[in-house]
Amino acid sequence: MDSYPMSRTCPLDPPSDYGRLRAEHPITRVRLDFDGSDVWLVTRHEDARAVLGDANFSSDFSTPGFPARLTSQPPGPGTFIRMDPPDHTRLRRLLVPEFTRRRMEALRPAIQRIVDELIDAMAGRTPPVDLVEALALPLPSQVITELLGVPYDDRDFFHETTRLMGDQNVDPERRLKVRNDLRDYLDRLVAVKEEQPADDLLSRLAQGRQEAGVSREEIVGIATLLMVAGYETVANQIAVGTVALLQNPGELAGLQSGPERLAAAVEEVVRHQTVIDYGARRAATADVEVGGRLIRAGEGVVVVLASANRDEERFGDPDRLDLCRDASDHLSFGYGVHQCMGQLLARVQLQVVWETLFRRIPSLRLAVPVEKVPFRYDMFVYGVHELPVTW
Ligand code: HEM
């Protein structure tokens, strides 16, 4: 039996074992390194959609068979990514008006301003510069804090807490403490927003919560989820996507050919570099047949998004980064009722950052050989720890 997670042989491609599994055992039992339990691994695009779109697969941490990661602690109230309907629906619904296409597009000028400022500052420095520290981290940090109404001065605290929560080497007790610190901080902030509402997402949630039948604790949980989900993901997508683009200079023209081509090009980078490295976890609540295999109630499932995104049956020549292809049904943002709430916000940031970066600094290149870039092999969100660039 294979064990999971599996190792990469090339930093910009998922583990080659995925290709073997897709061809020979697309739905197979594997042993989880984290706790030695056995779960189903789903590696093909079609099967991944079947699982993620089926209400018989639960996202609730407490469902028997739910695949462990490192913590045995339940995620806490409000963390709707780990809940099933109807509770999931009740909480997710609160955020729907906050993340509409219209609202996200309205943020584009502000995001452009932040990117311009960060690139001005970066271009004024003497290279080499770490692109993670100069651009990839501060952009989503500033965007998510402004959106929620969190003081940007507290960004170091957020950076450190989200980093520790995403590190596989941090022991569960420490991780839990860090998560509780973040919750305590956001709890105090929600109390402030209740008393002195401003024009931000947290104030609106705090004000509307009673009418919506949502507790204060749940609002704090939602805020924690948004901070954690909306920061490291975008930062690493920017960084590792930039590496992939720099390794494929012939493709860069696709970023400068107008908004439509740009949007499609960004989808392709997001398909090719799937940062949710460990996959989407579920547990079956009924016996279900998927792709000819019977998954029984109480069995855990890991849907490997990075493998589905390289499925040769769905994407021709899948390992090639081809900014002209239609990659729109990639699964990097998940699928089904838990599909990423912040995907439109992520897309605007990625479109603005890559269009601006390669237009403003066309001679951008890696300052070290790609083998020397410290890739994040030990984190739940794949990416790079640092990215030395020059121009
Ligand atoms: C490139 C950036 C991002 C990637 C790759 C990403 C990926 C994902 C994926 C794969 C899921 C589904 C997990 C599952 O089905 O178990 C998800 C859910 C979620 N994401 Fe994102 N995400 C990104 C950015 C963001 C941003 C910017 C935000 C918020 C501002 C956000 C908020 C959420 C939330 C709240 C959920 C839970 C949705 C639910 O359970 O209904 N994400 N994300």
Side-chain angles (χ1 to χ4, degrees), residues 80-81 88 92 144 229-230 233 282 332-334 337-338 340-342:
F80 61 89
I81 192 168
H88 167 262
R92 181 169 168 126
I144 195 76
T233 45
R282 299 291 187 266
S332 292
F333 292 118
V337 294
H338 287 280
C340 181
M341 187 98 231

Side-chain angles (χ1 to χ4, degrees), residues 95 97-100 102-108 110-111 113-114 139-152 189 193 198-205 222-223 226-227 229-231 234 341-346 349:
L95 286 177
E98 299 291 338
F99 287 94
T100 59
R102 224 167 125 207
R103 268 198 190 236
M104 295 304 106
E105 280 305 320
L107 292 177
R108 194 179 282 268
I111 291 173
R113 172 185 50 78
I114 299 171
L139 170 63
S141 166
Q142 216 163 315
V143 168
I144 195 76
T145 49
E146 271 184 32
L147 182 79
L148 289 175
V150 167
Y152 186 57
L189 191 64
K193 304 281 179 191
D199 182 16
D200 56 49
L201 191 153
L202 269 191
S203 295
R204 286 188 290 273
L205 289 187
I222 292 174
L226 290 175
M227 286 301 302
Y231 173 43
V234 179
M341 187 98 231
Q343 57 185 289
L344 296 177
L345 181 60
Q349 294 181 73

Side-chain angles (χ1 to χ4, degrees), residues 31-283:
R31 183 144 301 159
L32 286 186
D33 282 349
F34 303 121
D35 67 350
S37 65
D38 297 345
V39 299
W40 291 99
L41 202 68
V42 174
T43 49
R44 276 189 190 162
H45 189 273
E46 190 184 345
D47 298 335
R49 288 223 297 205
V51 170
L52 297 177
D54 187 333
N56 291 313
F57 290 98
S58 165
S59 284
D60 189 332
F61 186 86
S62 60
T63 303
F66 191 84
R69 216 165 59 170
L70 282 180
T71 167
S72 50
Q73 295 295 326
T79 318
F80 61 89
I81 192 168
R82 293 274 157 269
M83 292 178 184
D84 295 328
D87 260 350
H88 167 262
T89 322
R90 177 176 61 90
L91 297 179
R92 181 169 168 126
R93 194 184 288 146
L94 267 186
L95 286 177
V96 169
E98 299 291 338
F99 287 94
T100 59
R101 186 173 298 275
R102 224 167 125 207
R103 268 198 190 236
M104 295 304 106
E105 280 305 320
L107 292 177
R108 194 179 282 268
I111 291 173
Q112 183 71 58
R113 172 185 50 78
I114 299 171
V115 169
D116 284 336
E117 285 168 7
L118 291 169
I119 293 181
D120 283 344
M122 181 176 140
R125 287 163 60 178
T126 311
V129 165
D130 173 14
L131 188 101
V132 171
E133 177 255 320
L135 183 63
L137 273 177
L139 170 63
S141 166
Q142 216 163 315
V143 168
I144 195 76
T145 49
E146 271 184 32
L147 182 79
L148 289 175
V150 167
Y152 186 57
D153 284 349
D154 295 333
R155 61 188 176 276
D156 289 345
F157 168 71
F158 283 112
H159 175 57
E160 196 50 18
T161 42
T162 46
R163 191 185 66 74
L164 289 168
M165 284 162 76
D167 186 343
Q168 298 179 14
N169 304 311
V170 172
D171 67 81
E173 245 170 66
R174 174 116 193 266
R175 184 192 310 279
L176 183 66
K177 171 160 187 325
V178 168
R179 198 184 78 194
N180 288 340
D181 288 349
L182 181 58
R183 279 190 84 101
D184 290 347
Y185 171 90
L186 288 167
D187 186 52
R188 288 193 297 276
L189 191 64
V190 170
V192 172
K193 304 281 179 191
E194 277 176 347
E195 293 299 313
Q196 302 157 2
D199 182 16
D200 56 49
L201 191 153
L202 269 191
S203 295
R204 286 188 290 273
L205 289 187
Q207 295 295 306
R209 74 168 180 78
Q210 272 171 344
E211 206 180 309
V214 176
S215 71
R216 162 90 168 273
E217 267 193 313
E218 286 174 322
I219 297 292
V220 173
I222 292 174
T224 312
L225 172 61
L226 290 175
M227 286 301 302
V228 174
Y231 173 43
E232 282 234 308
T233 45
V234 179
N236 282 287
Q237 190 76 69
I238 293 173
V240 80
T242 302
V243 182
L245 287 164
L246 289 173
Q247 294 299 100
N248 291 273
E251 295 293 315
L252 289 174
L255 299 174
Q256 309 296 345
S257 323
E260 225 162 87
R261 280 278 311 275
L262 172 65
V266 165
E267 292 314 299
E268 168 64 353
V269 182
V270 171
R271 174 195 75 84
H272 195 260
Q273 294 303 316
T274 312
V275 296
I276 303 295
D277 206 20
Y278 178 59
R281 294 176 289 157
R282 299 291 187 266

